[in-house]
Amino acid sequence: MDLSTRYLGLQLRNPLLASASPLSQTLHGVRQLADAGVGAVVLYSLFEEQVRREADHNELMASPGSESCAEPLSCNPSTADPTSGAQRYLRLLERAAAAVDIPIIGSLNASTPGSWARYARCMQDAGAAAIELNIYYLPGDTGVNGAAVEQRHLDVLDEVKSAVTVPAAVKLSPYFSATADMVHRLDAAGADGLVLFNRFLQPNIDPETLSTVRGVTLSTPGDTRLPLMWIALLHGRIRASLAASTGVERAGDVAKYLLAGADAVQTASALLRHGPDYAAVLLQDLHIWMTRKGFRSLSEVRGLLAGSNAETSDAQERADYVWAVRKANSGMYDAY
């Protein structure tokens, strides 16, 4: 059974990727994920805000009353201050890349223009096989229009592509006025891959304590619907690789994404719930499913149930919507 795939131009032993999570915050965790069989590991995200806060604190402690500034980042983790946040990240990246025989992908979440290129280059120098740009941006400012939000993504990609030679993937949110157009523009701008989708933090409200409840919730299989739809619509229509992210709990969820046209499938929630070794279970069950269905390689699966061509996809989507509403009105609810 051939489970190999290409993602971001990288040859992977299988399409299952461990996405950025606390599991990849240590070398031991990365090794566990690799030993469980994942095709690649996306290292936990480096957040510029965390690095800047730590740098500001250290500067304040060292020189009370002086102006604080951002960390003077060195791309050489063996000679720079080993206690700084960015250097700890780069040191882990360097050690992980040397310790396992699968690609290690750096994950970057920056907030200021120059930092994207700066940190991405350091990740490349530390051994990252690729960079995942986690552009987490919630445009809550009423003075920021959709065009500005879209341009922000294109600017970040351009900065990083000008600074590195390794592949760069963009992790997108689903909240664009024209998602397909945004994907096409990123593809044309040189994105090597698109990860669909990022999940925004959505705080809850506790009416008893009259407080806001913040926290990260793990995804569930029901969360696959949105990325599944977009991957099916985009498969075969862009040059960039497509990675699914969110909702993977069982091998059947991995199979759905592959049938829709995903080149790779990322998971974090399932591995956090069941442990890193659960990756081996997912891969074994995927192997069993492919054997049962008569598939001999991943290429026979990928995109088998992808969306229609560009001319008919809109009409088909409308027809599917009308059919689903009529089915619901008749009391026939979809259980899947």
Side-chain angles (χ1 to χ4, degrees):
M1 180 71 68
D2 182 12
L3 291 180
S4 64
T5 188
R6 286 189 70 79
Y7 173 60
L8 306 179
L10 306 172
Q11 188 66 33
L12 306 183
R13 60 189 180 186
N14 63 66
L16 186 66
L17 275 61
S19 54
S21 81
L23 293 174
S24 57
Q25 285 186 321
T26 65
L27 183 60
H28 175 66
V30 172
R31 281 178 168 152
Q32 280 186 302
L33 292 166
D35 290 344
V38 298
V41 172
V42 183
L43 215 61
Y44 75 99
S45 294
L46 175 63
F47 286 82
E48 182 190 354
E49 290 85 350
Q50 292 175 325
V51 175
R52 289 177 66 87
R53 280 198 300 270
E54 184 178 85
D56 289 347
H57 174 74
N58 291 342
E59 175 111 5
L60 184 63
M61 295 296 291
S63 304
S66 66
E67 293 185 6
S68 60
C69 60
E71 175 188 23
L73 180 66
S74 165
C75 288
N76 187 344
S78 62
T79 60
D81 177 10
T83 65
S84 70
Q87 303 308 332
R88 286 196 302 269
Y89 187 96
L90 295 176
R91 192 166 65 254
L92 172 61
L93 177 52
E94 185 178 61
R95 295 172 64 200
V100 298
D101 60 354
I102 59 173
I104 301 298
I105 300 172
S107 176
L108 175 59
N109 192 317
S111 61
T112 56
S115 297
W116 287 99
R118 182 165 165 252
Y119 289 120
R121 180 55 186 264
C122 286
M123 287 183 181
Q124 172 179 287
D125 292 348
I131 311 292
E132 184 175 285
L133 307 176
N134 187 344
I135 307 178
Y136 188 105
Y137 177 54
L138 184 63
D141 186 346
T142 57
V144 177
N145 60 28
V149 174
E150 294 171 358
Q151 190 59 48
R152 181 187 182 108
H153 285 69
L154 293 167
D155 290 344
V156 167
L157 176 63
D158 181 65
E159 289 170 10
V160 171
K161 290 293 289 185
S162 67
V164 302
T165 57
V166 296
V170 179
K171 192 169 188 177
L172 289 173
S173 87
Y175 305 118
F176 290 97
S177 59
T179 300
D181 177 68
M182 187 72 248
V183 166
H184 175 73
R185 292 169 66 190
L186 288 165
D187 183 45
D192 297 285
L194 286 309
V195 183
L196 310 181
F197 285 111
N198 206 341
R199 298 172 67 227
F200 284 139
L201 176 66
Q202 298 175 335
N204 204 348
I205 289 179
D206 187 331
E208 295 302 321
T209 62
L210 304 181
S211 61
T212 301
V213 181
R214 294 181 176 86
V216 177
T217 57
L218 300 181
S219 66
T220 64
D223 295 322
T224 61
R225 292 294 188 91
L226 189 60
L228 194 67
M229 177 188 73
W230 278 111
I231 288 171
L233 289 172
L234 295 168
H235 173 72
R237 297 170 63 181
I238 60 172
R239 172 199 54 83
S241 299
L242 288 171
S245 176
T246 262
V248 172
E249 178 66 21
R250 301 176 295 271
D253 302 315
V254 179
K256 287 179 183 180
Y257 278 134
L258 295 172
L259 288 167
D263 298 291
V265 180
Q266 297 190 8
T267 182
S269 294
L271 301 180
L272 287 168
R273 285 193 187 98
H274 307 292
D277 291 343
Y278 188 63
V281 176
L282 290 172
L283 289 167
Q284 179 61 29
D285 288 350
L286 179 63
H287 186 286
I288 293 172
W289 173 81
M290 290 178 64
T291 301
R292 182 162 51 86
K293 293 297 181 181
F295 296 119
R296 292 168 295 179
S297 69
L298 214 63
S299 61
E300 297 176 3
V301 179
R302 188 183 299 109
L304 187 62
L305 299 180
S308 313
N309 61 45
E311 288 73 25
T312 61
S313 59
D314 289 346
Q316 182 62 50
E317 179 68 19
R318 177 70 182 176
D320 290 345
Y321 167 71
V322 172
W323 178 86
V325 171
R326 292 179 62 186
K327 181 179 178 181
N329 287 340
S330 67
M332 300 169 59
Y333 295 99
D334 189 352
Y336 295 95

